[in-house]
Amino acid sequence: MGLKTVKLSFLFNFFGNDYFSLVAFLQACLLYLFYRWCYAIYLGHMSQQKLNLDKTDEFGEDFEITATDSTTFPPTYLVIRVHPASKEEAVKWLVGKIRGKKLLGGAELVVLRKPYDEDGLEFHVSASPIKFLEIAEEMELVKRDKHGQMREFTVNDLENFLVDGMNVDDFLTSAERQAIIRHELENIRALPTDIHVPGYPFYSMCEGQSVLHKCIQCGIISSIYALHDQEHLKKLGRSWYRSVFQKQPLDEIKIYFGESIALYFTFLGFYTTALLFPTFLGFVQLLVSIETLPVFCIFNVIWVTVFLEMWRRKSNELAYKWGTIGMTSLGEPRANFRGQMGKDPITGKLCPQYPRYKTYLKMYCVSFPIVIACLVGAYIIMLISFWMEDQIKYNPETWSQDLLLLPSVLYTALVYVMNCYYRKLATFLTEWENHRTQSQFDRHRVTKLILFEFVNNFMSLFYIAFIIQDMEMLRSQVATMLIILQAINHMQEAVLPLLINVGFAKISQWKNGWKNTRQTKSKQKAFEDSRYSREFLETIPAIDPSDSRLNQAEQEGQLEIYEETYDDYLEMFIQFGYVVLFSSVYPAAALWAVINNVLEIRADAFRLCLVHQRPISRKVKDIGAWQRAFEVIGGLSIMTNCGLLCLSPHIRSRMAHKTDLEYILTFIFLEHILLGIRYLLHIAIPDKPEWVRVELAKKSYESRQALKHEKALKSKRYLTRRFNTVHSKHPISGPALGNK
Amino acid sequence: MGLKTVKLSFLFNFFGNDYFSLVAFLQACLLYLFYRWCYAIYLGHMSQQKLNLDKTDEFGEDFEITATDSTTFPPTYLVIRVHPASKEEAVKWLVGKIRGKKLLGGAELVVLRKPYDEDGLEFHVSASPIKFLEIAEEMELVKRDKHGQMREFTVNDLENFLVDGMNVDDFLTSAERQAIIRHELENIRALPTDIHVPGYPFYSMCEGQSVLHKCIQCGIISSIYALHDQEHLKKLGRSWYRSVFQKQPLDEIKIYFGESIALYFTFLGFYTTALLFPTFLGFVQLLVSIETLPVFCIFNVIWVTVFLEMWRRKSNELAYKWGTIGMTSLGEPRANFRGQMGKDPITGKLCPQYPRYKTYLKMYCVSFPIVIACLVGAYIIMLISFWMEDQIKYNPETWSQDLLLLPSVLYTALVYVMNCYYRKLATFLTEWENHRTQSQFDRHRVTKLILFEFVNNFMSLFYIAFIIQDMEMLRSQVATMLIILQAINHMQEAVLPLLINVGFAKISQWKNGWKNTRQTKSKQKAFEDSRYSREFLETIPAIDPSDSRLNQAEQEGQLEIYEETYDDYLEMFIQFGYVVLFSSVYPAAALWAVINNVLEIRADAFRLCLVHQRPISRKVKDIGAWQRAFEVIGGLSIMTNCGLLCLSPHIRSRMAHKTDLEYILTFIFLEHILLGIRYLLHIAIPDKPEWVRVELAKKSYESRQALKHEKALKSKRYLTRRFNTVHSKHPISGPALGNK
């Protein structure tokens, strides 16, 4: 057997014992080419559209004189679409709230109106530059000051936050401005006089409720979305999805999309880099003898633990740099947090109060049992599907073998349906539990979802591995999931919506053409068409019909909504599970994961920039429930891998001299040692890098000093007033001093 | 079999199958009586001594006119004894430092001298009332203010800290004053001009070194100890060790002995109360059938986890109440912390700087391997002892059976010796690692010691349980340890030193009589006897020879030193190990532990008040390394108990229908379920009670607000100065506002 044969057999080993994986690899390559091709088409389409846009601009020049000078209007940050059937009273009330004075419960924002309203009114919301700064102070936005320190921004201290040469207009990032507008809109709260939504006596309200969310619930507002900043986006795209093998522009992502999405991409990058280690290990593992497998097991455990601990450090580092590290569950309540209005025990501000123990009661006494019941249900359905498969397989006289795939197909379909309902249930339960902050809400919602996904995605593999004990089946399952399903995912996530969009864009282009002819009608006509009174409409300044924002708002309104980072993390979580839980049967898993992730990073970027509506930026300090979920998988991986090694007939035959009992005890011992190592690593690696700890301690020290001075100053003033009384009562500077 | 027999057999079961335990119980009762008796004797002795003291006072009246009026001198907080052979230059230099001005590197404390110095000079150190307050501010002492908030004390704000009617003299507790004096003494640091200790050119010093510790190292200072406040102590004792079945006066303990000791007693109380649950469970366990044992195992796991989590909450609660919750590893460096003097990155104060990574390097590259080697050594010695015992037992022809106890005795002796050396080694290594704060130092030192103690105390039991698998032997070992050894411990800790002290007191009484006659000699004589020059001695005010403090200082100087809380915690740790690790073979363990602890609480109190020198108070925020040590034992207990259940022949016989493999897998499954429950409980129980979190968040919020205002104020002043420039550069209030 020459060298060449050895090499080939090595490749053969690596890609699984059937050529299945090799085929899949080729498929993946094809997929990648397809993706590049689609992208090229899309780019072509975009540039064509840009051309159209430019044309519109030219076309619009005729109106420049008659229309309001919209260039002095601030850029649009959020678009609110009102349902066409909404009553005028309600819309008037809502707009009044948005534009109203702070003291009267308004948000003091700037509202612009779309000049015509055949699909319902459309409002463009923005704010004046000084308003942005004021709200930033109110939101306790943490920014880096001149001296490089992270601290709460105040308008009075603005000068100190403008790092050399920075203009005040560049001070807040695009994501921050958007978040500020969203924050103000969400925090328009019902006054005691707002008993119900005007015009809808059945939609009653209680004091402190978020007006915006009520309007969304009642269907008065049909959608709210953010507008892209085309120029900024193009610049970002150039350094991001268009340069596949370069570093991700994470700072830019944070500036444009906000912390939540930037953290996801940082995680994805960090995780993919970390995966190189098990990929390498997977290669080595195939070259060595089978007795050394436990050694790889140890390496894997160390890798998983170190990776997660290092990520926690990294995440804390970012949270410090982004000024979000101080977020706690006692922070600002989310808009939908219900409770009696009262003074916050911490800030003293008026906000809804709800006792925490009630949330705990609801969580542990209602949600927890319900979730457990759902998990058990899902598990039972899985068992039934396996049982049916067995029935069909082993009773060929009763069942036709053509039906062999039926249980799997049925199961998959059922899981898909269950998932949809379960998501709704989880969201409902978490909303009902009434968590105070958005982070808490997300954490508890995501925890519920993860548990269900865990049962659906991994339980069948556990069943195959430890109950049926069919290693070949397990290996092919893992490979299928990692190769085929991930490829399908790419298709579903990036390519499909892209194709649909291109189609839609064609239609909307046609529609636009029609609209443009309509726009030539006078402004007067717009008022006549409307179901709202002219008096009302005239109070709101309209955008110039030639403004490109109108077109953009319409186009982006049709794009798919990006629903948080949940699905993206979930994909990574499931992949991580496959890679670490069953790494000892399928060492090539890490390689597939790396290949997928390199594509995923760019595909997700592409999706965010071009396929979805611009997501509303969110501040987060960590990846929330996912950190723990990954850690639990890391812990479980010790048990599964030890179990798999133990079940491996190769290893058993090598250790034939041991009795069954001795053999099993060996692996149990190994498992406990690994659990011990994990624990040691966990306590040996600090959660935060030293410099972050020092910076935080420094800030805390300075704050405390400031408080001391403030209190001392106050006290001094007070003391000066009552000097005589105090002097005679506490002889501090009196005769007692003589001793010194 | 009547009811009576059943009951008796139940008792028989409970006390072990041999009457061994019953006998031990009687012994314990006897011991308790003996302890009460000793205590009565001691009280008699104390009141007699008090009488003597009063006599001395009467006797001293003759001198009242000639001596300095020592009642105006502040009370003594620390006594420094100088070695009789110390050179005058060194002593002069030291006293100069203690009394010297802050600006010149001194501590500005008050020093009094013992009038005669036949055993070396003795200095009584105190401070003026205003000095106490000043240092308290400097140390950032956290106290409760009028509004019930915990915050850093400042002298300027004193008024706000005096809760209604409180006198400024009562503001600092006895323990705090003592800590303040200690802090100031320790923080006398060598100046660049202090190249060596004057008079000792070989004792070189480097800048920033603690002068006090150098003097102790060089033997110039022979001892430093705190003096008791007899009146306070008597009051404390009345509500503490003299009322056995009442609640411990924890607040009083904290005021008198400081946080570290108060926390130990709180822990002891909390733990003892918590033990009632497994005690009850132990009773029930004996009444039910053997199949239900796994159920008890689950209960025990839940108990251990909940107990430790609740303790963590309790400890955080106390830390908040005591104002120590803000202590971090970046806090004030300990006196022996070495490093180049530099600006602290957090406070900006000058203090030694040492890169943390060097400490980590030393820890992981040197200390860790050494400690591991020691542990392995101890383990091997244990194995050898077992091997020797086997040799003697199974070779009756070679060895006389009288030697059967020899290996155990040898082993015990060897462990004792090793322990002594290992403690020194651990202290040395930890000192060399150069940890910044006292808490860090303690944590790392205690961790090293715990590991060694773990091997010495528990490894032999693990060996018996899982290698020899002799359950009877294991049970009797656990019982011996819990009953006999704890009783011996009581003897060794409280009764023996007490007897020795009574003896010593008699001798010192006789000596005192002799001294009193000497005191009649003129003050002049004292100067003549001294090896120090009269000029030097006259610069330091002497205490009136009739002052009872002189006698007290001498008596308390002879008492045993209380070496931190380490030994006390260790005792609890070992007990906890016996109770939880092997609870399934010896369910009565918890009962013995409770009995022991009820005695222990009072015996320890007694010891602290009457047997030992007054310990120097220490601020701590938690029980340090012990928390983790207890948690690890809790985790191990899952494994040991599952293992023990699995090995139990009774359970095996009840589950005879299962194959060996199935049987073992059942227990492994149980173990994993228990580990899972533990993890869930760990994440479900928050570390801090809600109210503590709210209070901390509130304080942090207020501090941040204060910092914002301070910065904004500064910025405003700055802005006013350069108004024109700024106005033209950033048009904040300019035309941009028009949009609003």
Side-chain angles (χ1 to χ4, degrees), chain B residues 305-322:
Chain B
T305 315
V306 171
F307 156 58
L308 287 171
E309 294 294 327
M310 294 312 277
W311 167 250
R312 200 196 277 271
R313 279 168 77 91
K314 175 92 183 166
S315 144
N316 273 322
E317 206 177 305
L318 288 177
Y320 173 74
K321 280 187 189 156
W322 295 346

Side-chain angles (χ1 to χ4, degrees), chain A residues 140-143 150-151 176 254 258-260 263 315-328 439 618-622 696 699:
Chain A
E140 302 191 337
L141 209 71
V142 175
K143 298 283 280 184
M150 301 301 301
R151 57 191 178 87
E176 276 164 353
K254 185 220 136 195
E259 286 77 5
S260 159
L263 193 66
S315 145
N316 274 321
E317 207 177 302
L318 289 177
Y320 174 75
K321 280 187 188 156
W322 295 346
T324 55
I325 204 164
M327 286 170 75
T328 67
S439 307
R618 287 254 329 273
K619 284 204 175 292
V620 291
K621 71 164 183 174
D622 51 27
L696 287 177
K699 202 197 146 189

Side-chain angles (χ1 to χ4, degrees), chain A residues 72-74 101 108 110 128-131 133-134 137 140 145-147 149 151-160 162 166-168 326 328-330 345-349 356 360 364 368 628 631-632 639 660-661 664-665 668 671-672 675 679-680 683-686 690 693-695 697-713 715-716 718-719 722 726 729-733 736-737 739-740, chain B residues 72-74 101 108 110 128-131 133-134 137 140 145-147 149 151-160 162 166-168 326 328-330 345-349 356 360 364 368 628 631-632 639 660-661 664-665 668 671-672 675 679-680 682-686 690 693-695 697-713 715-716 718-719 722 726 729-733 736-737 739-740:
Chain A
T72 62
F73 275 157
K101 288 275 165 227
E108 299 187 353
V110 176
S128 66
I130 184 73
K131 193 73 212 162
L133 295 179
E134 275 175 23
E137 171 169 351
E140 302 191 337
D145 72 4
K146 261 183 180 168
H147 312 291
Q149 212 186 347
R151 57 191 178 87
E152 278 91 356
F153 163 75
T154 49
V155 177
N156 276 337
D157 200 16
L158 174 63
E159 175 75 357
N160 271 325
L162 297 174
M166 188 194 261
N167 195 309
V168 77
T328 67
S329 62
L330 297 165
I346 294 156
T347 60
K349 288 178 193 165
R356 187 95 188 106
Y360 280 125
Y364 290 118
F368 188 67
R628 191 150 274 157
E631 280 170 10
V632 169
M639 299 166 194
D660 268 1
L661 195 63
I664 283 183
L665 286 178
I668 290 170
E671 189 210 335
H672 284 81
L675 284 173
Y679 181 71
L680 284 182
I683 57 173
I685 302 174
E690 186 76 3
R693 294 189 57 225
V694 169
E695 286 297 325
K698 192 171 157 187
K699 202 197 146 189
S700 153
Y701 177 78
E702 281 181 4
S703 308
R704 276 182 290 130
Q705 293 299 320
L707 183 68
K708 265 205 275 189
H709 290 159
E710 199 185 72
K711 294 259 180 188
L713 261 175
S715 179
K716 217 173 182 178
Y718 179 76
L719 275 171
R722 342 182 329 176
V726 173
K729 232 163 101 193
H730 307 295
I732 308 168
S733 44
L737 273 172
N739 279 342
K740 189 179 162 185
Chain B
T72 62
F73 274 159
K101 289 274 166 229
E108 299 187 353
V110 176
S128 66
I130 185 71
K131 193 73 213 164
L133 295 179
E134 275 175 23
E137 172 169 349
E140 303 189 339
D145 73 3
K146 261 182 180 169
H147 313 291
Q149 215 187 345
R151 56 190 179 88
E152 277 93 356
F153 163 74
T154 48
V155 177
N156 275 339
D157 199 18
L158 174 62
E159 177 75 355
N160 271 326
L162 297 174
M166 188 195 260
N167 196 309
V168 77
T328 66
S329 62
L330 298 164
I346 294 157
T347 60
K349 288 178 193 164
R356 187 99 189 101
Y360 280 124
Y364 290 118
F368 187 69
R628 191 151 275 158
E631 281 170 9
V632 169
M639 298 164 194
D660 268 1
L661 196 63
I664 283 184
L665 286 177
I668 289 170
E671 190 210 335
H672 283 81
L675 284 174
Y679 181 71
L680 283 182
H682 176 70
I683 55 173
I685 302 175
E690 185 76 6
R693 294 189 56 222
V694 169
E695 286 296 326
K698 192 172 159 187
K699 204 195 143 188
S700 153
Y701 177 76
E702 281 181 5
S703 309
R704 275 183 289 132
Q705 293 300 319
L707 183 69
K708 263 205 276 190
H709 290 156
E710 200 185 73
K711 294 261 181 188
L713 262 175
S715 178
K716 214 172 183 178
Y718 179 76
L719 275 172
R722 357 180 316 180
V726 173
K729 231 163 103 192
H730 308 294
I732 306 169
S733 45
L737 273 172
N739 278 343
K740 190 180 162 184

Side-chain angles (χ1 to χ4, degrees), chain B residues 133-145:
Chain B
L133 295 179
E134 275 175 23
I135 310 173
E137 172 169 349
E138 205 184 292
M139 284 169 72
E140 303 189 339
L141 208 71
V142 175
K143 299 281 282 183
R144 183 181 298 274
D145 73 3

Side-chain angles (χ1 to χ4, degrees), chain B residues 31 51 128 159 222 244 300 307 411 479 488 561 622 677 682:
Chain B
L31 183 80
L51 225 64
S128 66
E159 177 75 355
S222 57
V244 177
N300 259 320
F307 156 58
Y411 176 61
I488 291 175
I561 297 167
D622 51 27
I677 291 177
H682 176 70

Side-chain angles (χ1 to χ4, degrees), chain A residues 13 59 147 156 168 277 388 505 594 622 738:
Chain A
N13 260 331
F59 188 65
H147 312 291
N156 276 337
V168 77
F277 182 81
M388 275 168 64
V594 170
D622 51 27

